[in-house]
Amino acid sequence: MATPNKTEAASLRSRVKRSAATKKDQILALYLSGVSEVEDLAMITGTRSSYVGTVLQQAGLLAGYYDLYTSTAHPMNVYSKYFANQLGFKDEATARRSVEQIDRLYRQFGLGQDRAGQHHAMLMALTMFNRARWTGKGREADVYRRWLLERLLEAGPLDEGETPADSDNLPEVLPALIP
C-alpha cells in the first residue's frame, strides 16, 4: 500500500475507530485486511511504529522487527539468547547487575575473538542506556553510559592510518557526546 497522505490517514483513522475498540484491535484488523507496512499502520492508528511492531510480533504476524523497545525475549541474532530476560534498569542495583552480565559476556566474546558477540553486548548496553534515560532513570542510565564509555576508551585508535578527527581529544570529547 502506498503511504496515505494526511487527509487519507485521517479518514482511515475515523473509519477504523468506529469499527475496532482498541488501538491493538485496529492494528490487527488493518494488517489482516492488507495494510502491512508498520509505518502506515502507525500513521493510520495514531500510534508509534514500535507499538505496531510489538502488537504484530505478539500476534505472530510479524517477525524480524527490532527497535529500541523490542523485548530482549525476541531473538535478533544468535547472541540474543545470552541476554534474553537478563537486563533491566528498575533501580541502580538492577542496572549494575545487568552491566556485570553484559561485561562478563563482552569479555567472554573477546577471549574467543568474537567481534560480532562483543558488538551485540555493546548494542545491549546502548539499548538499556537509552531505555533508562528516556524513561527518566538518569542514575540507572549512567551505569550503562559509564560502561560504554570505558569500552570505547579502551578500544584505542583505529587501524593503521585511520584516525577519527578528534582521536587526540577522545577522553574529553566522549563525555560531552553523551550527557
Side-chain angles (χ1 to χ4, degrees):
M1 171 182 180
T3 302
N5 65 37
K6 290 184 187 227
T7 305
E8 292 168 331
S11 173
L12 281 169
R13 190 177 300 119
S14 175
R15 285 190 309 206
V16 167
K17 281 183 181 177
R18 288 191 301 266
S19 64
T22 67
K23 298 281 186 181
K24 180 178 179 179
D25 291 338
Q26 294 171 21
I27 291 164
L28 294 172
L30 285 165
Y31 185 87
L32 293 171
S33 71
V35 182
S36 59
E37 293 296 320
V38 170
E39 312 88 80
D40 293 346
L41 290 163
M43 185 187 330
I44 293 166
T45 59
T47 61
R48 294 195 172 149
S49 295
S50 59
Y51 178 72
V52 171
T54 299
V55 166
L56 294 175
Q57 279 187 326
Q58 288 174 346
L61 298 171
L62 181 67
Y65 177 84
Y66 303 98
D67 66 24
L68 176 63
Y69 301 106
T70 302
S71 168
T72 58
H74 288 282
M76 183 186 307
N77 57 41
V78 298
Y79 302 103
S80 296
K81 64 185 172 194
Y82 299 109
F83 300 91
N85 303 312
Q86 300 291 314
L87 310 177
F89 55 88
K90 180 175 88 171
D91 51 38
E92 284 183 83
T94 301
R96 280 193 295 278
R97 281 192 302 277
S98 298
V99 164
E100 287 170 6
Q101 171 75 353
I102 291 169
D103 190 63
R104 184 180 64 73
L105 290 165
Y106 178 85
R107 298 204 183 284
Q108 183 178 329
F109 293 136
L111 289 173
Q113 296 185 337
D114 186 342
R115 301 302 173 230
Q118 287 187 303
H119 169 78
H120 193 80
M122 293 179 83
L123 179 62
M124 291 291 91
L126 180 61
T127 298
M128 297 308 290
F129 163 73
N130 280 324
R131 287 179 181 176
R133 77 178 175 142
W134 287 329
T135 55
K137 297 211 169 207
R139 291 190 317 269
E140 293 79 358
D142 198 51
V143 173
Y144 291 98
R145 182 188 65 82
R146 285 193 310 267
W147 184 85
L148 283 162
L149 287 172
E150 288 168 8
R151 298 300 73 74
L152 292 172
L153 289 171
E154 76 185 14
L158 298 175
D159 288 337
E160 197 175 308
E162 293 181 44
T163 56
D166 292 319
S167 64
D168 293 338
N169 307 3
L170 205 52
E172 296 85 36
V173 170
L174 280 177
L177 293 176
I178 305 174

